Amino acid sequence: MTPIRLLLVDDDPLVRAGLAFMMGGADDLEIVGEAADGSEVEELVERTRPDVVLMDIRMPTVDGLAATERLRGREDAPQVVVLTTFHADEQVLRALRAGAAGFVLKDTPPADILEAVRRVAAGDPVLSPTVTRQLMEHAAGGGLDTRRTTARTRIAALNDREREVAVAVGQGHSNAEIARELFMSVATVKTHVSRILAKLDLNNRVQIALLTYDAGLLEGDEH
């Protein structure tokens, strides 16, 4: 099996050393580089071609949010998992909207951080439905009306079946659960998810969940 190529980005050398030590023992992971600031990320990604970037949010020159946004513009962009000390932080939410595949807390057990990297490399977000709802509720403050109008305009590009799948994704259901709920095959669900991502210009399932929340589709409010 080809190892997952991992880039570590954190301004604290002790954190980077701890992550490198923790990840270095996994047979299916290869640490291809380390960076101390977001300003170094694009050049390192170009040179090392990681599959996953484990990215701190708060860094002195270019933070993880800006670095994630820059990576999103790349055609061959790696998956990004943001590191944070907060469960529900506005910057985490912004990073997810920018295209991060999820987040892990810095005090997460080592085995769980490893599993998060593996899941993201496989194309799965690393947010549980509970955490996703916490983040979306945290975003329900200022600007919701504007976001709702924009989100509903974007959702209108979907057909009825795609809309149903998008709502199910927003509710935190897996492909298998969506298949059972909507009476279709898992392969068909995957096809719908891919089409939703393409139509709405989104990077991953987390962004689908955030958009359906913004549109009011997870509240039973269709008005």
Side-chain angles (χ1 to χ4, degrees):
M1 180 184 296
T2 303
I4 298 165
R5 298 173 64 80
L6 179 66
L7 175 64
L8 304 177
V9 184
D10 197 294
D11 65 326
D12 188 333
L14 290 178
V15 172
R16 291 201 311 276
L19 289 170
F21 177 79
M22 178 177 63
M23 303 283 191
D27 294 336
D28 59 341
L29 293 179
E30 177 186 0
I31 298 172
V32 296
E34 297 182 20
D37 192 81
S39 60
E40 305 169 24
V41 170
E42 284 186 284
E43 187 274 332
L44 270 174
V45 165
E46 182 68 31
R47 180 156 50 87
T48 64
R49 302 291 179 177
D51 301 305
V52 179
V53 179
L54 199 54
M55 180 98 72
D56 188 22
I57 286 187
R58 291 171 176 82
M59 292 179 284
T61 307
V62 176
D63 65 20
L65 172 62
T68 299
E69 288 174 335
R70 291 176 184 179
L71 287 181
R72 182 186 178 188
R74 295 177 61 93
E75 205 167 294
D76 56 347
Q79 298 286 1
V80 176
V81 178
V82 294
L83 284 165
T84 182
T85 54
F86 299 95
H87 284 272
D89 178 89
E90 180 62 28
Q91 285 187 301
V92 174
L93 186 74
R94 289 172 62 199
L96 295 175
R97 291 186 188 281
F103 79 90
V104 293
L105 299 175
K106 288 191 174 181
D107 61 357
T108 298
D112 291 345
I113 295 180
L114 282 168
E115 184 59 24
V117 170
R118 292 178 178 125
R119 284 182 55 190
V120 165
D124 296 325
V126 294
L127 295 179
S128 69
T130 299
V131 173
T132 301
R133 290 190 196 101
Q134 287 175 345
L135 282 166
M136 292 189 295
E137 287 165 5
H138 184 71
L144 180 60
D145 289 343
T146 300
R147 292 203 311 272
R148 177 150 298 182
T149 299
T150 301
R152 288 185 172 182
T153 299
R154 296 181 68 188
I155 289 288
L158 304 180
N159 62 38
D160 289 344
R161 202 57 160 165
E162 289 164 347
R163 181 186 172 104
E164 288 178 326
V165 171
V167 170
V169 169
Q171 292 168 337
H173 296 164
S174 68
N175 286 342
E177 290 168 338
I178 296 171
R180 288 195 297 271
E181 185 178 305
L182 298 181
F183 305 102
M184 61 178 71
S185 69
V186 171
T188 300
V189 174
K190 290 180 179 178
T191 298
H192 281 307
V193 171
S194 295
R195 288 175 179 167
I196 292 166
L197 292 171
K199 280 187 176 183
L200 302 181
D201 191 27
L202 301 175
N203 291 60
N204 52 51
R205 296 167 74 96
V206 175
Q207 290 186 325
I208 295 175
L210 292 170
L211 190 66
T212 56
Y213 173 81
D214 283 349
L217 300 182
L218 305 185
E219 305 171 2
D221 176 12
E222 297 293 334
H223 303 297

